[in-house]
Amino acid sequence: MGRKVTDQDGRTYPLPIPGSGAGGSNTRSYLMRRLQPHLPPWIGVAGVGVAGALGNWRWEGSAGAGVGLTLASVALTGATWWAGKTTSSQRRLHSAITVAAGSAWLTGACLAGPMTGALDDLYLIGGPVLALSWNVRLTLRTSDPAGENADKGLLERVGLARAQIGAAKVEPNRVTAPLLLDAGTQTNDDVAKALPGIASALDVPRTAVRYQPDPDSERRGELVIVPRDMLADTVRWEEEGPAFPGGSITDPLILGVYDDGAPLALWLPGDKKQGRNATHLLIAGMTGSGKGDGALNVQTEILTRKDVIMWLSDPKEFQDFRPLLPAYDWAVSAPADTEIMVETVKAVIPARTKWLGAHKYRQWEASAAREQTDPTHTCHDDGTACGCPGLPFHVVWFEEAGVSLGLLGDDAFNSIANLARSAGMALVVSLQRPSHDQMSTTTRDALGGRLCFGVPNATAAGFMLPDTVLDAGAAPERWANRRPGYCYLVTPGVPEERYAEPGRTRWFTDTSISLMETVAQWFARNGATVDPVTEKAAATVAGRAYTERRHVDVDAPNTEDDDMIDDNEPLVDADDEHIDPEQELPELQDGADAPLVQETGHKPTPEEARELFAQALQEFETAGQMVVGPKDFMDWCDRHQLSRPWVSARLKEAAEQGRLEPTNQTGRWRIKPSLTVA
């Protein structure tokens, strides 16, 4: 008799009752179960012996049987070798030797007799040896059921049966296993295609399985599996705050974490000691993917460093970045202002590279932002320290750049992207979709760094991530906008095996606004200010648009002028004191309603028109609109009865005289500030 036990899955098992006399039977059953897998080799040895005795009784001394048995032995051995091509090389060789030895003894036994000569000794010694060799192999194979056998089964199911998995490296929430593919029949591309099947077999998300091929081999790589998604728990930015407040821009910008808990780090400047190149950054993601919070993570990290300045163009009127306004050196929102900012950056680049070259910097480094007291970095020919003011790192950020590109044209950022890195500048371009109709391949490739959030489809992912990263398992279209903040980071300084690993940026809530304002106030008081080189180059191009740019005074009292009334100040102007407010207004006299300015219909003479045109250029400059074209003079032409072709001719004439300078856009001209012309 026995009692029944039900486990947590509802399965019921009978268990023996101690002392019921069933112990001996159970012992025998256990031994039989353990012995059964080892019996087939011994049964095979016994069968060969019986077959040899029967064959001798039938074919003893037969020459024809000898030929047939020999051919059969060779054919059977060859078939065994052919059938074992899908198995490991050790199993294939072991099987072939066993079949060859058994068939050779059987042929001799059938023709000469199993007891003739040394055949009986060979049978009694060789048979058990072969059987035991298979027993030992089975014991070694089944002693670790989670080892090679399980790995082979997984690879067989995904079409990589002949691949070999090495010893796995197990870390917290991360398993890394080296993979060796079959020579001549399998490549790293086969593994990339099999990744969805591996994820299915392991019952994990598609993004949890990655493959990092060895750059020096087409059949070696590492399979990385992250079983648990550590990104599911969102982290608020205000809970941790900036990573290195008061540090240098050369310190990593920490944006969040990877799915294994490692920090998601970004560098913008280069570092020759680390072998890291400077980079620009392209940020992209569909609506709702968390791109805005990702941009705030990057900006708050930048604006807590002491050796960097930032320019910002935001067509959304600083909707997301308004708490940070006091920290920007120059912030614009209007299309015309963005246009002049682009032209200004073009002029700033050669000025900064000239300064770096004169001070013997091959690329910008942290010491360049400080006063130049080191004779190694001096612009004096005699080698003495020059004491020149430092040159802070410079970040130029174009938010919603699709709008800017639509207005300025595809080539607007090309020269900036190609030259700015050598000037200690980083260009950050943020938009929803960097497709071919918005951004040229040249500009996209020059940006270098990529921060890719969720995208709607694989085509959009191809615009952001390199093919090698997609082949390694990156799939931002799997999230779309269902997991805000999930992203991939491809940038210098990050190991390439990290490129296909998803990360998540931190989340900005309404409660983070006060801390963002604190960051901006700290930077306004303690952060870097624009250097003389950059300031002079910017003023030379942008004029009042830069020199009279908006600044937010963080030390000003938080009061409004309309609410400040001096009780001792009279409420009526002195010129109006004689007016009686109760007296009726006098009646209008003849002609009193005539306009102050009479429309005469007078068309200016050519000399007058040129003077009016010069005044118009001065008015544009005063207003801070430093890039103009014929379309900007449409109302002016109607007012003065002048044609658009006449304006185009005057623009070219002004360019020849040095008042204007052509831009990369056809029909657009940059005004040279009056001081520069003088």
Side-chain angles (χ1 to χ4, degrees), residues 647-661:
V647 170
S648 298
R650 300 290 77 75
L651 289 171
K652 295 180 181 179
E653 184 179 279
E656 294 173 355
Q657 296 172 355
R659 184 69 171 102
L660 301 178
E661 185 174 285

Side-chain angles (χ1 to χ4, degrees), residues 234-242 293 296-297 300 505-516 519:
T234 58
V235 177
R236 298 189 179 191
W237 174 77
E238 60 269 23
E239 294 177 357
E240 298 185 0
D293 280 1
L296 285 173
N297 275 280
T300 51
T505 58
R506 291 169 293 184
W507 182 31
F508 282 74
T509 64
D510 292 340
T511 59
S512 65
I513 293 178
S514 60
L515 182 55
M516 293 169 62
V519 167

Side-chain angles (χ1 to χ4, degrees), residues 267-558:
W267 290 265
L268 294 178
D271 189 338
K272 59 184 179 182
K273 294 181 180 178
Q274 300 293 331
R276 184 184 70 244
N277 292 326
T279 188
H280 305 306
L281 182 63
L282 174 61
I283 305 176
M286 64 185 299
T287 301
S289 64
K291 178 172 64 69
D293 280 1
L296 285 173
N297 275 280
V298 178
Q299 287 209 16
T300 51
E301 284 293 295
I302 293 173
L303 296 176
T304 53
R305 311 303 168 88
K306 61 184 180 182
D307 50 5
V308 60
I309 62 172
M310 180 182 288
W311 290 356
L312 171 68
S313 167
D314 184 5
K316 297 189 301 182
E317 290 289 343
F318 320 114
Q319 180 180 5
D320 294 330
F321 308 128
R322 187 162 296 276
L324 300 174
L325 272 179
Y328 304 124
D329 179 69
W330 189 15
V332 300
S333 57
D337 295 333
T338 299
E339 191 173 17
I340 188 57
M341 179 177 281
V342 171
E343 295 299 319
T344 303
V345 172
K346 294 178 183 177
V348 165
I349 290 173
R352 290 174 62 93
T353 53
K354 181 179 179 181
W355 186 95
L356 290 169
H359 290 82
K360 302 176 180 62
Y361 289 103
R362 296 193 62 185
Q363 66 176 356
W364 187 92
E365 53 190 74
S367 60
R370 299 187 289 269
E371 183 180 350
Q372 301 302 293
T373 58
D374 184 357
T376 305
H377 298 289
T378 179
C379 59
H380 290 174
D381 294 336
D382 58 5
T384 59
C386 60
C388 293
L391 190 79
F393 194 76
H394 193 167
V395 176
V396 185
W397 189 296
F398 292 93
E399 182 66 18
E400 294 298 340
V403 177
S404 303
L405 288 168
L407 293 171
L408 306 181
D410 192 20
D411 296 332
F413 297 150
N414 276 349
S415 59
I416 301 176
N418 290 324
L419 300 175
R421 288 189 302 118
S422 58
M425 303 177 69
L427 176 66
V428 181
V429 177
S430 175
L431 72 170
Q432 292 188 10
R433 180 185 172 95
S435 53
H436 298 300
D437 57 344
Q438 294 200 47
M439 179 180 292
S440 69
T441 303
T442 302
T443 301
R444 189 166 57 245
D445 291 344
L447 291 176
R450 312 289 174 85
L451 184 59
C452 178
F453 292 85
V455 296
N457 49 56
T459 302
F463 292 133
M464 276 295 292
L465 299 176
D467 293 340
T468 54
V469 178
L470 296 174
D471 292 341
E477 70 276 9
R478 299 280 178 172
W479 313 317
N481 57 3
R482 294 183 295 274
R483 297 184 180 180
Y486 278 59
C487 60
Y488 291 103
L489 178 61
V490 178
T491 184
V494 175
E496 291 187 6
E497 57 267 22
R498 286 281 189 189
Y499 288 173
E501 296 182 8
R504 190 173 193 177
T505 58
R506 291 169 293 184
W507 182 31
F508 282 74
T509 64
D510 292 340
T511 59
S512 65
I513 293 178
S514 60
L515 182 55
M516 293 169 62
E517 292 173 342
T518 302
V519 167
Q521 292 169 1
W522 176 90
F523 189 89
R525 296 187 180 100
N526 306 291
T529 56
V530 63
D531 57 278
V533 173
T534 302
E535 186 174 30
K536 181 180 179 181
T540 301
V541 174
R544 291 185 178 90
Y546 182 74
T547 58
E548 298 179 5
R549 62 196 183 279
R550 175 177 55 184
H551 281 291
V552 180
D553 186 2
V554 297
D555 295 319
N558 188 19

